[in-house]
Amino acid sequence: MKKFLGIGFWEFIARSILRNRIIILLGITVITVLLAIQWKNIRFTQTEANLIPADDKVNVDYNSFLKVFGEEGNLVVVATKDPKLFTPKVFAEWNNLMNSLQKDKEVSLIISVDNLKKLTKNDSTQSFGLKQLVDHKKIQDPKYLAEIKNELYNKLPFYEGLLYNKRTGAVRSAIYLDKKIINTKARKEYILKTFIPKIETFKKSTGLDVKVSGMPYIRTLNAKTIIDEIGLFIAAALSITSLIFFFFFRSVRSTLTSLFIVIIGVMWSFGILGLLGYEITVLTALVPTLVIVIGIPNCIFLLNKYHQEYKQHGNKAKALQRVITKTGTATLMTNLTTALGFATFIATNNVLLTEFGVVTTINIIAIYVLCILILPIFLSYTSAPTTRHLGHLDRGSLTSFMAWVVRTVKYNKVAVYGVSVLLLVFGIIGIYEIKISGSIIEDMPKKTDFFDDIRFFEKEFDGVMPLEIMIDTKHRKGVMKPSVIKKMEKLEETISEIPELSKPVSVVNLVKYSKQAYYNGNPDYYELPTSQEQAFILSYSKNATKNSKDNLMKSYVDSTGRFARITTFIKDENGEKMEAVEARIREKINILFPKDRFEVVVTGKASVFQKGTKYLLDNLLSSLLMAFGLTALLVAIMFRSLKMVLVSIIPNLLPLLMTAGLMGFLGIPLKPSTILVFGIAFGMSVDDTLRFLAQYRLELARNNWKIKKSVFATFDDAGISMFYTSIVLFFGFSVFMLSSFGGTVALGGLVSLTLFFGMLSNLVLLPSLVLSLNKKLASQQELPEPIIDILEHSDAEVDAVERK
């Protein structure tokens, strides 16, 4: 490693870059063009994020349900509480809207008040038939519509909770999309270009307050918001980082060059996504912005080093050579540790996170290569820096801040440790207050109309997130056995007692409705048939289901009659209670459905997402520990000192605990977006640690192994770069707070906060620990040689190589 990353290696790299400038720029141009060609392969995800491995039992159960009953998330609901619905003009418009939607090839079925059918008894054929509730020839009569409304609310309990809320007067239509298009681009095209325009036209013509929701609708608008925000993030990141860059260096040319570098990096990031065939998801959409946020600090570090070198000796050629020669390994190591923080996501055994980890890791290395190639080449073509350009090195505010840091480390180490212990205790106490959220919609854009609509359906119809129960009777036509129907009713009674769940829907509802129809529609008979009634009422039901097109409950019993399905909806705000809700349901299931006779699966999108959050938490904690371990191993190899490993870990662990504590006290739950904070922040924060320690080792060699003198000399060189890069990272990640997604806002805010804590920790706590723990390393014998000359090289060493 010493030979490979030694001064001779970086001398060769520097010489190769500066002697082959045209070839390198042509090579970068060719690669950029080739990656730009891959943009045509970029696809936007059409499915929800599945956080659980495909072979996990949770996914196996969910897929077995989909195999029997097909895609569950194909329902779009349109609702209103406006009593004007049952007026002639508006009702006719509603009828026209539903008829228009039914004609769309993307729609398979619509159940609405205007086309509602009621079950009637036909004694001549001994069967039940379906009769239209509404006679469309009479809908211009207000009295007739009032009768229809009364019949719906008071005589058709079968549809209560499904199509209307009797208590509030809310009415909705259920629109079932073709299951084949749900996870395709066709679903997005239909919702955005056909469905929404029709709804908007209806709202304008009637003035009715219409609410729309359902998983296909939510997913489409959610994905559209993600796509719209990619451009916002890139523009905001470029703007804020370039302004900070210019403020630091007062050079338009250098600022434009840095922007040029990161823009190429952004182009590469999209090309890599297309090349790997990865979809743009809520996570991979962040990668281009991350490239900007990480690339600008690289440019700052290299340019700041160039200015320091030029200020020292006034030789532009020597300064350019030494930027690469003296800092090559240090910048490589810091970028590797950043990549390592993201690479830990690859080990989560989750496709979404694995792809994010792979793409981000590749792009971090790519932007590092672009910075170390393009920036020196650009500087070689421009004039030498002027006094104005070098003025930032002696800026009063910056030097005052660094002087405060030095005084604190020099005279107040006890206070530093005291504050650190208090912050540690604060973080640990706060951690115990953190809650885990399994909410699907919590991270969705809260300022959008469709989010308000979700809350409407949460309130009026007890949620839009389905929870499914599939019962395998293990016998053909076993579902329609009276004993099985009664068991299902008892299970539904338990579900109805759970306040977080909506009224369940299953074949039980149809059997109850059959008895009501048998007794000429009297709602008092909406109940299961008695043992005496079962034979003749069920015979009517069997004859009624021959017409599969009009079969009301065909989605709740499979074609063989072996599998039954109970659907309920959970209020997403109670997603955190999912585990307790499911445990109560399973307890009843175990009593009613013995495992030797039945196989019952509890699944659905709400259940899968909640379990996915828990799985993600377990895996990312393991990944974070892996990141700590790999970083410790890297430091151990570099410094060959257990104390230096301890010194490198503590300043980066404390900010993470601080952020976790704040999350607990502020009520920010652990969820997929906030879990990512810790791995990202650690990978970014440890960069400053390595920069400081690298410079510290160099200063030891310069100062005859005098620890105090070396520590304080380190601030003169590495301190400014650490401050600059941390400020850029802080504001760079803050751009994510412009998002309308709660999860992205939390990610940006928490990472920025953690990096700010990390900067202070690395500038104050880290040198204090070095002074306290390295007292015994005052002699050169105790400071192993191998890495001193590969992290950052002294002037004498560089001069020796340059003379050769």
Side-chain angles (χ1 to χ4, degrees):
M1 181 177 179
K2 177 181 177 181
K3 183 176 180 180
F4 176 66
L5 296 178
I7 186 171
F9 171 78
W10 289 109
E11 173 70 21
F12 169 75
I13 294 295
R15 186 169 58 249
S16 300
I17 292 173
L18 296 174
R19 289 182 178 179
N20 299 280
R21 295 174 293 180
I22 301 300
I23 295 175
I24 290 173
L25 292 177
L26 287 175
I28 291 173
T29 302
V30 170
I31 294 173
T32 303
V33 171
L34 292 176
L35 287 174
I37 294 173
Q38 298 299 320
W39 292 358
K40 66 178 183 294
N41 298 322
I42 294 177
R43 295 172 291 119
F44 295 94
T45 184
Q46 305 297 334
T47 60
E48 295 120 332
N50 192 328
L51 304 176
I52 305 176
D55 57 353
D56 190 274
K57 187 178 185 303
V58 174
N59 263 338
V60 172
D61 287 346
Y62 183 62
N63 289 329
S64 66
F65 167 82
L66 295 180
K67 186 176 180 181
V68 175
F69 291 105
E71 174 61 48
E72 58 161 341
N74 66 325
L75 173 64
V76 177
V77 285
V78 180
T80 183
K81 284 179 66 176
D82 198 324
K84 289 193 300 182
L85 174 64
F86 289 95
T87 59
K89 180 180 182 298
V90 176
F91 194 86
E93 290 284 354
W94 185 272
N95 178 57
N96 292 336
L97 172 65
M98 294 304 151
N99 287 337
S100 174
L101 293 173
Q102 185 66 78
K103 293 177 183 178
D104 296 332
K105 66 179 186 300
E106 295 85 358
V107 176
S108 61
L109 174 67
I110 292 180
I111 302 176
S112 179
V113 176
D114 58 291
N115 70 357
L116 202 60
K117 296 178 181 179
K118 57 182 181 180
L119 205 61
T120 57
K121 181 176 68 171
N122 188 329
D123 289 324
S124 61
T125 60
Q126 291 192 336
S127 67
F128 293 118
L130 292 172
K131 180 183 177 181
Q132 288 284 352
L133 172 67
V134 178
D135 184 349
H136 289 87
K137 296 179 181 179
K138 301 179 180 179
I139 61 174
Q140 295 302 320
D141 184 358
K143 292 183 179 180
Y144 176 74
L145 291 178
E147 293 173 1
I148 292 298
K149 181 179 180 181
N150 179 66
E151 183 175 0
L152 176 67
Y153 285 175
N154 298 306
K155 296 183 180 181
L156 294 174
F158 174 77
Y159 292 108
E160 185 174 4
L162 183 65
L163 289 185
Y164 70 88
N165 183 331
K166 184 177 180 180
R167 180 177 54 84
T168 65
V171 178
R172 69 177 177 180
S173 295
I175 303 163
Y176 294 89
L177 301 186
D178 185 351
K179 293 179 178 180
K180 295 178 182 178
I181 72 165
I182 293 303
N183 294 321
T184 68
K185 186 179 180 181
R187 181 255 303 161
K188 181 191 75 171
E189 296 291 326
Y190 173 71
I191 293 292
L192 294 178
K193 296 182 179 180
T194 303
F195 180 81
I196 291 179
K198 287 184 178 182
I199 297 295
E200 292 300 320
T201 300
F202 171 80
K203 289 167 70 174
K204 289 180 180 178
S205 64
T206 64
L208 213 63
D209 182 20
V210 176
K211 307 293 184 181
V212 184
S213 194
M215 291 307 297
Y217 182 79
I218 293 171
R219 287 165 55 186
T220 300
L221 296 188
N222 214 35
K224 182 178 182 299
T225 306
I226 292 173
I227 295 169
D228 292 342
E229 287 191 350
I230 293 177
L232 170 67
F233 290 152
I234 292 175
L238 286 173
S239 299
I240 195 167
T241 54
S242 60
L243 285 173
I244 295 172
F245 191 99
F246 180 77
F247 177 76
F248 285 157
F249 294 104
R250 299 292 200 274
S251 171
V252 174
R253 289 180 303 180
S254 297
T255 302
L256 292 177
T257 303
S258 298
L259 287 178
F260 176 72
I261 293 171
V262 295
I263 288 172
I264 292 177
V266 169
M267 295 172 68
W268 283 24
S269 68
F270 283 115
I272 291 169
L273 276 171
L275 181 65
L276 296 176
Y278 291 167
E279 294 179 334
I280 292 183
T281 64
V282 68
L283 288 182
T284 54
L286 304 179
V287 172
T289 309
L290 288 173
V291 168
I292 298 170
V293 173
I294 294 170
I296 291 293
N298 278 335
C299 295
I300 287 177
F301 184 75
L302 293 172
L303 187 61
N304 189 64
K305 192 66 179 177
Y306 170 65
H307 286 173
Q308 289 176 333
E309 285 292 329
Y310 183 81
K311 183 180 179 182
Q312 182 178 346
H313 48 67
N315 188 321
K316 176 184 171 183
K318 181 185 286 190
L320 285 173
Q321 185 90 356
R322 288 187 172 183
V323 166
I324 302 172
T325 305
K326 295 180 65 176
T327 66
T329 301
T331 53
L332 175 62
M333 290 300 179
T334 54
N335 279 273
L336 284 178
T337 52
T338 301
L340 182 65
F342 288 93
T344 56
F345 297 136
I346 300 173
T348 57
N349 195 24
N350 171 266
V351 174
L352 182 74
L353 287 172
T354 297
E355 291 182 355
F356 176 64
V358 169
V359 172
T360 310
T361 301
I362 293 174
N363 278 285
I364 289 171
I365 301 303
I367 193 64
Y368 163 71
V369 172
L370 286 173
C371 289
I372 207 165
L373 291 178
I374 297 178
L375 192 60
I377 292 176
F378 162 77
L379 294 173
S380 70
Y381 283 115
T382 60
S383 58
T386 65
T387 303
R388 177 172 59 88
H389 297 146
L390 301 178
H392 68 95
L393 298 173
D394 301 312
R395 192 168 295 147
S397 57
L398 180 58
T399 54
S400 297
F401 173 73
M402 295 308 301
W404 172 82
V405 170
V406 170
R407 286 196 305 272
T408 302
V409 173
K410 193 171 185 178
Y411 301 112
N412 298 299
K413 285 195 291 296
V414 174
V416 170
Y417 296 143
V419 172
S420 298
V421 171
L422 289 176
L423 294 177
L424 177 64
V425 172
F426 170 86
I428 293 173
I429 294 174
I431 287 173
Y432 285 97
E433 301 294 324
I434 294 180
K435 295 180 180 179
I436 300 175
S437 171
S439 170
I440 298 178
I441 69 170
E442 185 175 5
D443 284 346
M444 290 183 181
K446 292 181 172 58
K447 297 180 180 179
T448 57
D449 291 338
F450 81 85
F451 187 85
D452 293 336
D453 290 357
I454 291 173
R455 289 305 185 198
F456 171 86
F457 285 97
E458 292 270 354
K459 180 180 178 181
E460 298 295 332
F461 296 96
D462 294 326
V464 294
M465 303 303 165
L467 181 65
E468 304 283 358
I469 302 170
M470 184 174 71
I471 302 168
D472 180 3
T473 64
K474 299 184 179 180
H475 295 286
R476 186 178 177 85
K477 297 184 179 180
V479 171
M480 296 308 295
K481 289 182 178 180
S483 60
V484 175
I485 296 293
K486 285 192 174 182
K487 288 177 181 291
M488 291 176 64
E489 183 189 36
K490 290 181 179 179
L491 179 57
E492 290 188 8
E493 289 173 356
T494 299
I495 293 173
S496 298
E497 293 171 359
I498 301 174
E500 290 80 21
L501 299 179
S502 68
K503 176 185 174 182
V505 182
S506 73
V507 69
V508 173
N509 302 69
L510 179 59
V511 175
K512 290 180 179 180
Y513 193 19
S514 299
K515 180 174 178 177
Q516 178 187 351
Y518 186 80
Y519 287 99
N520 300 314
N522 189 335
D524 294 336
Y525 289 94
Y526 185 73
E527 60 187 10
L528 289 182
T530 63
S531 55
Q532 291 82 7
E533 297 167 329
Q534 284 172 0
F536 50 87
I537 289 181
L538 289 181
S539 67
Y540 273 64
S541 299
K542 290 177 181 177
N543 292 331
T545 58
K546 290 179 180 178
N547 186 347
S548 61
K549 183 177 179 180
D550 291 333
N551 185 354
L552 290 174
M553 300 301 288
K554 64 181 180 179
S555 295
Y556 294 90
V557 180
D558 80 313
S559 58
T560 67
R562 172 179 169 176
F563 295 91
R565 167 189 183 183
I566 300 175
T567 298
T568 182
F569 293 88
I570 186 168
K571 293 181 179 179
D572 192 71
E573 62 186 2
N574 294 307
E576 62 184 30
K577 298 181 181 179
M578 173 64 74
E579 195 169 342
V581 167
E582 189 171 323
R584 185 173 174 184
I585 293 175
R586 287 190 181 278
E587 182 181 0
K588 192 68 174 180
I589 287 172
N590 293 335
I591 297 173
L592 295 173
F593 299 95
K595 292 184 179 180
D596 58 329
R597 294 168 51 201
F598 299 91
E599 185 176 344
V600 182
V601 170
V602 180
T603 185
K605 293 189 185 299
S607 176
V608 171
F609 188 86
Q610 193 273 340
K611 292 171 182 173
T613 301
K614 187 175 180 182
Y615 175 86
L616 184 63
L617 175 61
D618 293 339
N619 278 267
L620 284 180
L621 287 176
S622 302
S623 299
L624 187 59
L625 291 175
M626 184 188 302
F628 274 111
L630 292 174
T631 302
L633 180 62
L634 179 62
V635 174
I637 293 173
M638 291 169 60
F639 294 94
R640 298 189 182 181
S641 168
L642 185 60
K643 289 183 179 180
M644 295 303 288
V645 171
L646 188 63
V647 164
S648 66
I649 294 297
I650 292 177
N652 294 290
L653 179 61
L654 184 61
L656 300 183
L657 293 174
M658 270 289 298
T659 300
L662 280 174
M663 288 175 61
F665 287 119
L666 296 177
I668 301 174
L670 277 176
K671 49 189 176 180
S673 53
T674 54
I675 291 172
L676 299 176
V677 167
F678 302 99
I680 294 174
F682 176 75
M684 306 293 293
S685 180
V686 78
D687 285 0
D688 282 344
T689 304
L690 291 179
R691 285 198 181 110
F692 186 92
L693 294 179
Q695 185 64 29
Y696 165 66
R697 298 305 294 269
L698 174 61
E699 297 299 336
L700 280 171
R702 286 175 174 172
N703 295 288
N704 197 27
W705 315 106
K706 294 178 181 178
I707 294 176
K708 277 191 175 183
K709 188 174 181 180
S710 299
V711 167
F712 297 126
T714 301
F715 286 110
D716 296 334
D717 197 306
I720 294 175
S721 293
M722 289 168 63
F723 176 78
Y724 280 176
T725 55
S726 296
I727 292 299
V728 171
L729 289 172
F730 175 81
F731 285 103
F733 275 96
S734 295
V735 303
F736 292 125
M737 297 178 69
L738 298 174
S739 174
S740 53
F741 289 91
T744 308
V745 171
L747 176 69
L750 290 173
V751 170
S752 296
L753 191 64
T754 308
L755 291 176
F756 180 75
F757 288 147
M759 178 190 73
L760 295 178
S761 183
N762 279 306
L763 285 175
V764 179
L765 180 58
L766 174 61
S768 299
L769 288 172
V770 171
L771 288 172
S772 299
L773 296 180
N774 277 355
K775 288 181 180 179
K776 294 183 180 180
L777 300 179
S779 66
Q780 185 173 359
Q781 288 75 23
E782 290 180 82
L783 281 170
E785 177 193 0
I787 229 61
I788 293 173
D789 62 340
I790 73 168
L791 283 172
E792 190 164 345
H793 307 285
S794 67
D795 295 342
E797 293 173 309
V798 175
D799 287 338
V801 173
E802 288 173 348
R803 284 194 297 271
K804 291 180 182 180

